[in-house]
Amino acid sequence: EIVLTQSPATLSLSPGEGATLSCRASQGISSLLAWYQQKPGQAPRLLIYDASIRATGIPARFSGSGSGTDFTLTISSLEPEDFAVYYCQQRSNWPLTFGGGTKVEIK
Amino acid sequence: QVQLVESGGDVVQSGGSLRLSCEASGFIFSNYGMHWVRQAPDKGLEWVTFIHYDGSNKYYADAVKGRFSISRDNAKNTLYLQMNSLRPEDTGVYYCAKERESDRLFEYWGQGTLVTVSS
């Protein structure tokens, strides 16, 4: 099973600041990594897939990068609605796995 | 628009059984693979199981293998999850999710249904 490790666990930032979230895979997964956003009481939403492709309707302030084992989700300038939990997910191998999540909270 | 509506969540005793349903609309259900993903209270996401668009292939997480069974009725646009031998650690919100394009990505999610297993 591929283990995904996200860091940091919590990121405390102010609106307008940039955010950098990390996801590391226990073995190489090429670019087969996705990012999801989840707000309290809501289902997750697909943001980025194949490491860097924005899903339909996702604002340009969200970007992804990386390949192999190290991946990054960047939010260029935080909007109030971006404060949420973010999960990475690999689709390289069964079983599909998620990282433990990074909470982006208001400082 | 795509809609996924889960139902069937309940409180059940350890060792019991439950069947969840997910009614789909707004897309051609028989063309897409479907997943169940769960989330324990205040915890992260855990993939549970997948079924191919025609039911020909199924995959399960080790934690549920042999206890849970995924199925679908394409004529009724409905996905199912039969859960047997339930354990307290199965407690959580269960989401059904539609694949984007046979690519193991979760493009659309339902609102979830809560399963509570008491010991």
Side-chain angles (χ1 to χ4, degrees), chain B residues 69-107:
Chain B
S69 178
I70 190 171
S71 62
R72 63 191 298 159
D73 185 335
N74 284 344
K76 294 183 177 179
N77 290 343
T78 302
L79 176 73
Y80 302 101
L81 182 64
Q82 177 67 43
M83 303 187 294
N84 299 328
S85 303
L86 281 161
R87 304 167 180 168
E89 56 265 35
D90 295 319
T91 293
V93 175
Y94 284 71
Y95 297 99
C96 65
K98 168 192 170 292
E99 285 207 318
R100 194 182 68 93
E101 282 181 13
S102 300
D103 54 9
R104 292 164 282 177
L105 291 170
F106 313 111
E107 183 182 32

Side-chain angles (χ1 to χ4, degrees), chain B residues 8-14 16-18 20 83 86 91-92 113-119:
Chain B
D10 204 346
V11 179
V12 61
Q13 285 198 329
S14 183
S17 297
L18 211 53
L20 306 183
M83 303 187 294
L86 281 161
T91 293
T113 188
L114 178 61
V115 173
T116 303
V117 184
S118 64
S119 54

Side-chain angles (χ1 to χ4, degrees), chain B residues 23-52:
Chain B
E23 192 168 333
S25 60
F27 66 101
I28 302 173
F29 181 70
S30 58
N31 283 359
Y32 291 90
M34 297 291 295
H35 299 260
W36 288 97
V37 177
R38 69 184 180 182
Q39 188 168 34
D42 295 320
K43 298 295 183 185
L45 301 169
E46 180 186 18
W47 172 79
V48 176
T49 181
F50 163 79
I51 186 167
H52 205 50

Side-chain angles (χ1 to χ4, degrees), chain A residues 34 36 38 42-46 49 87 89 91-96 98 100, chain B residues 35 37 39 43-47 50 59 95 100 103-107 109-110:
Chain A
Y36 298 82
Q38 187 179 32
Q42 295 186 17
R45 176 175 69 147
L46 177 64
Y49 63 94
Y87 295 96
Q89 175 241 331
R91 68 181 186 92
S92 175
N93 287 10
W94 299 101
L96 307 180
F98 290 91
Chain B
H35 299 260
V37 177
Q39 188 168 34
K43 298 295 183 185
L45 301 169
E46 180 186 18
W47 172 79
F50 163 79
Y59 294 91
Y95 297 99
R100 194 182 68 93
D103 54 9
R104 292 164 282 177
L105 291 170
F106 313 111
E107 183 182 32
W109 300 65

